[in-house]
Amino acid sequence: MSERRSSESGFPIKGVYTADDLPGDLDSRLGGPGEFPYTRGVYPTMYTSRPWTMRQYAGFGTATESNARYHQLLRAGTMGLSVAFDLPTQMGYDSDDPIAHGEVGKVGVAIDSIEDMRLLFDGIPLDKVSTSMTINAPGSVLLLLYQLVAEENGVPGSALNGTIQNDILKEYIARGTYIFPPKPSLRLVADTFGYCRSEVPKWNTISISGYHMAEAGASPVQEIAFTLANGVEYVRAAIAAGLAVDDFAPRLSFFFVARTTLLEEVAKFRAARRIWARLMRDEFGAKNPKSMMLRFHTQTAGVQLTAQQPEVNLVRVAVQGLGAVLGGTQSLHTNSFDEAIALPTEKAARLALRTQQVLAYETDLTATVDPFAGSYVVEAMTAEIETAADALMARVFEHGSAVDAIEVGFQKREIEQSAYRIAQEIDSGERVVVGLNRFAIDAEEPYEPLRVDPAIEAAQAERLAKLRAERDSAAVERALVELRETASGTGNVLHPMKAALRERATVGEVCGALREVWGRYQPTDRF
């Protein structure tokens, strides 16, 4: 048994909780399932009518290889796809750019043009599958490529369901795959909101992410406080661009982590829903109930997986997935047990999906809504996290806005301090990690990881050379000129961007055109 007696956020955890620990206004804080403030879930029936969407994050090597993995996952029963892109794609560079050398296809799939996107989704019914794409700075570019491929297959934008992460602010805080400075980046996000409202109305235009901040070391309180503060910034940017709050807010979604500290994670999810509902109603005047609903995707905690005794990660992932479900997630990705070593093998990815299926179909979790409602410990923790997150958000806004706080490195410093505390606790043994600092074994069993063929980079370069030789170069240049002109003005850049991509402009060329106008973001030494 662990000796730790405090939560991940630093609250003391009592040995016994009673009714005296409940907030006095519990009834108003709770509401009913599907009712403001949505503490008990955003829908009245939650999983009693249908389970959460089971997604598996996958993508590696070439589009053809990733397509084969997607078909395997769909045959295994996954309900939604989640695309991982390689680092050059995430940064808006083509595979043959010198800066991409050594990274092509490594941490995700390489997508350079519409031709790669056709291969990635070959044979997949895009009007029936929900697709999530973990892409940020060039998120709009990949969405447009997806829409173009769908249209080629007779599927209109109105029939597409899915999400682009499109959350650039957390990149400046915790992850680093930014391209442009914050102001034009926020414009691109707002342009995407406006474009999708008319062209892809069922699409979730942003997944405001706390996951990557948590992976960098953020506590649960920091995770939701900084994520919701970023959410406020996106809402302000969209309103400033002329959009009405109820025209775009129903398509906002969020992305959180699920750790092994199950009780606090459940409380975290419930507190986040409550805070967001109150913000949208009271600060932004939202009238549509869907604008107040914090809908979120969850991924189990990759940072808590160990390369030592990797099979133990199966247990960790099951506990983390349980916490996400008890917390009311709308969709879930369960990590594969071997992800601390390399990209997941096919068998490991299938076992991760089976974990979700056991939770959904072999337990009684789907029989009732919000099983922990009224729990002394969970309600007390929910109230503690809510109060602390509100206070931390206030500290963010003391700087003026989330962007202003980012510019002076506030969120980054806070997360680094939390990460340092966690590392110290692991090193001292205060924080037990089974198989790492306790219950270790002398010799590990051999494991053969999935390896990406280094020849992929050359093959992608050949594909790009062929594309550039065969396409109408003059038409591409005309489209890129129009994109630069629109970016220099105030029009919505997604329309000329789509035209350029249709002419087979590459991801790197489109992002390069925007770089010419908007510049690159260079962090200051204040970080």
Side-chain angles (χ1 to χ4, degrees), residues 85 89 111-118 120-121 126 131-133 135-153 155-158 160 162-166 180 187-201 203-205 479-480 483 486 491-507 509-511 514 518:
F85 297 95
T89 305
I111 299 295
D112 291 318
S113 72
I114 191 171
E115 296 188 354
D116 289 329
M117 191 64 89
R118 288 178 187 137
L120 185 64
F121 289 101
L126 300 186
T131 301
S132 173
M133 292 188 277
I135 192 78
N136 294 283
S140 54
V141 181
L142 276 298
L143 169 61
L144 292 171
L145 287 174
Y146 186 84
Q147 183 189 11
L148 285 167
V149 169
E151 289 173 349
E152 289 176 351
N153 287 278
V155 179
S158 59
L160 297 177
T163 304
I164 47 171
Q165 193 162 99
N166 200 28
F180 318 113
R187 173 192 168 178
L188 188 54
V189 170
D191 280 359
T192 305
F193 290 174
Y195 177 87
C196 287
R197 183 192 170 206
S198 58
E199 302 293 330
V200 198
W203 199 265
N204 296 315
T205 50
L480 292 175
L483 174 59
T486 305
N492 191 310
V493 297
L494 269 74
H495 297 287
M497 193 185 295
K498 184 180 181 184
L501 293 167
R502 185 185 288 114
E503 295 292 347
R504 297 200 288 174
T506 68
V507 171
E509 289 165 344
V510 168
C511 291
L514 293 177
W518 292 343

Side-chain angles (χ1 to χ4, degrees), residues 75 104 191 344 370 383 413 428 475 498:
R75 286 193 297 270
V104 176
D191 280 359
D370 192 22
R413 282 195 304 272
S428 69
K498 184 180 181 184

Side-chain angles (χ1 to χ4, degrees), residues 430-444:
E430 179 185 357
R431 178 184 295 259
V432 174
V433 180
V434 173
L436 179 64
N437 63 5
R438 195 181 295 187
F439 313 115
I441 56 178
D442 294 333
E444 297 285 344

Side-chain angles (χ1 to χ4, degrees), residues 11 29-30 37-41 220-221 224-225 228 256 263-279 292 294 296 327 370 378-390 393:
F11 305 121
R29 291 186 187 227
L30 278 177
Y38 306 103
T39 307
R40 302 198 63 191
V221 164
I224 65 169
L228 299 187
F256 295 117
L263 295 177
E264 186 177 8
E265 292 299 282
V266 172
K268 176 193 77 178
F269 296 131
R270 300 169 88 250
R273 276 194 295 269
R274 199 148 73 201
I275 296 170
W276 187 248
R278 188 176 66 246
L279 279 169
M292 308 175 207
L294 185 143
F296 64 94
D370 192 22
V378 168
E379 297 295 2
M381 282 187 171
T382 301
E384 283 182 310
I385 290 172
E386 179 184 12
T387 299
D390 279 337
M393 288 176 69

